[in-house]
Amino acid sequence: MCEGFTVSASQEFFTAYDALLARWPAGTTEIDVPTPYGTTRVHAYGPADATPLVLLHGGGSTGPVWFANAHALGTRHRVLAVDILGDAGRSVREGRPLRTTADLMDWLDALLDGLGTSRVHLLGHSYGAWIALTYALHAARRVDRLVLLDPTQCFAGYRPAFLLRSLPLLVRPTVTRALAYLDRETAGTDTDPAWKRLYALGASAFPDRKLVIGRRPTPTACAALHVPVLILLAGRSAAHHAPKVAARARKAVPHARIETLPDLTHYALPTAAPAETNRRITDFLTADEATTPPATPDTAA
């Protein structure tokens, strides 16, 4: 049993976890990948010989959150949805301590090695987007395309009011408190209620979960990013000011495609309005492979 669990809380969490996972398409398989930091659970769907698409969930969301995206994204890609090590889910920390950004990058290197993937498309939401961007800067040779869904701590900080509303859940997580928080943060959207319940159960069942929190990438570092990038912002995000994030992202990564989903909030992704989200992601990922970012001043003829 993982540290921080009570038996009843963990059983209820995993029952809800498995129920959400059951909504993935038929043919989904479970893979446990050993790494020096512990065993990582990966949910796999799509043609085995297709380009791998690694999905990194937001903090506390777990890998099954992509149930409404897996079929659409797995039509032409090998979807590999990760339970981020150290977060709620079926990944198990053991071995080396996972404490720093360097450790996190080493873990992801080991995970991709264990999956037998030399190059991938990388997609992350929120905290997962920060990991994805940081990894693309760490190992650009392994990332073909990068998708960031309402990325936090990538181009701008959090709104102070958002942090204040989140604080009670961080200090004393309970299912009731987490559900009330999510209901408020997803109001006016069709965010999946079963996922909200799983998130809330995870906040209670994993009170000692420890995410690696690192620095925001600098504009100078982002300027060196030459892989194709799609940034999808939630227009009603309370986590940050979407136009401000868009402006800073456009300055830091001029070649990025930046689009806004005007009716969505931060936590509504990726379960709310999945058809539109899936369409935009699929259009980006399946664009002409010969397409490259515009030449930068130091590479232009």
Side-chain angles (χ1 to χ4, degrees):
M1 183 176 300
C2 296
E3 182 182 357
F5 276 9
T6 65
V7 173
S8 59
S10 64
Q11 289 176 341
E12 193 172 5
F13 170 83
F14 284 118
T15 297
Y17 178 104
D18 291 341
L20 200 63
L21 188 59
R23 294 166 64 182
W24 274 59
T28 297
T29 59
E30 303 296 291
I31 306 172
D32 284 322
V33 182
T35 77
Y37 302 91
T39 301
T40 304
R41 174 61 60 90
V42 178
H43 317 290
Y45 174 76
D49 58 350
T51 301
L53 171 61
V54 174
L55 308 183
L56 299 171
H57 59 77
S61 291
T62 72
V65 70
W66 306 100
F67 70 89
N69 316 101
H71 183 269
L73 300 181
T75 300
R76 296 178 61 175
H77 297 88
R78 178 65 167 171
V79 169
L80 300 165
V82 178
D83 275 4
I84 295 173
L85 202 62
D87 204 348
R90 291 196 179 275
S91 293
V92 179
R93 286 182 64 162
E94 55 190 1
R96 295 182 196 168
L98 189 66
R99 295 173 178 161
T100 68
T101 301
D103 294 333
L104 195 62
M105 298 299 99
D106 191 43
W107 161 71
L108 198 44
D109 276 331
L111 175 61
L112 297 187
D113 290 343
L115 289 167
T117 58
S118 59
R119 295 184 65 87
V120 300
H121 295 330
L122 200 53
L123 187 160
H125 170 230
S126 188
Y127 172 66
W130 172 78
I131 296 176
L133 174 60
T134 303
Y135 188 77
L137 295 171
H138 160 77
R141 70 192 184 282
R142 302 193 75 161
V143 179
D144 282 327
R145 294 184 183 232
L146 180 65
V147 181
L148 308 176
L149 302 184
D150 212 41
T152 52
Q153 291 299 91
C154 290
F155 306 106
Y158 292 104
R159 282 176 165 167
F162 176 79
L163 294 177
L164 285 174
R165 288 195 303 274
S166 304
L167 188 59
L169 184 60
L170 297 174
V171 173
R172 187 171 174 268
T174 67
V175 174
T176 300
R177 181 170 288 177
L179 281 174
Y181 172 81
L182 285 179
D183 285 344
R184 181 174 60 247
E185 296 295 326
T186 61
T189 71
D190 61 346
T191 305
D192 188 78
W195 170 76
K196 288 197 288 187
R197 181 170 177 271
L198 177 62
Y199 181 99
L201 289 168
S204 175
F206 293 80
D208 298 328
R209 66 190 180 96
K210 295 178 181 178
L211 304 184
V212 175
I213 306 298
R215 294 181 178 180
R216 191 186 314 160
T218 66
T220 300
C222 290
L225 187 67
H226 297 306
V227 301
V229 181
L230 171 65
I231 301 171
L232 281 182
L233 298 172
R236 294 175 51 217
S237 180
H240 45 220
H241 187 244
K244 180 179 180 180
V245 176
R248 291 191 176 182
R250 189 170 292 109
K251 185 176 181 180
V253 190
H255 69 266
R257 180 189 300 181
I258 304 172
E259 302 175 4
T260 300
L261 299 162
D263 298 325
L264 295 189
T265 66
H266 182 71
Y267 286 101
L269 287 163
T271 69
E276 180 63 16
T277 303
N278 292 338
R279 181 188 67 78
R280 296 191 190 214
I281 294 172
T282 300
D283 286 351
F284 171 74
L285 293 179
T286 57
D288 185 355
E289 293 294 334
T291 300
T292 57
T296 55
D298 59 333
T299 59

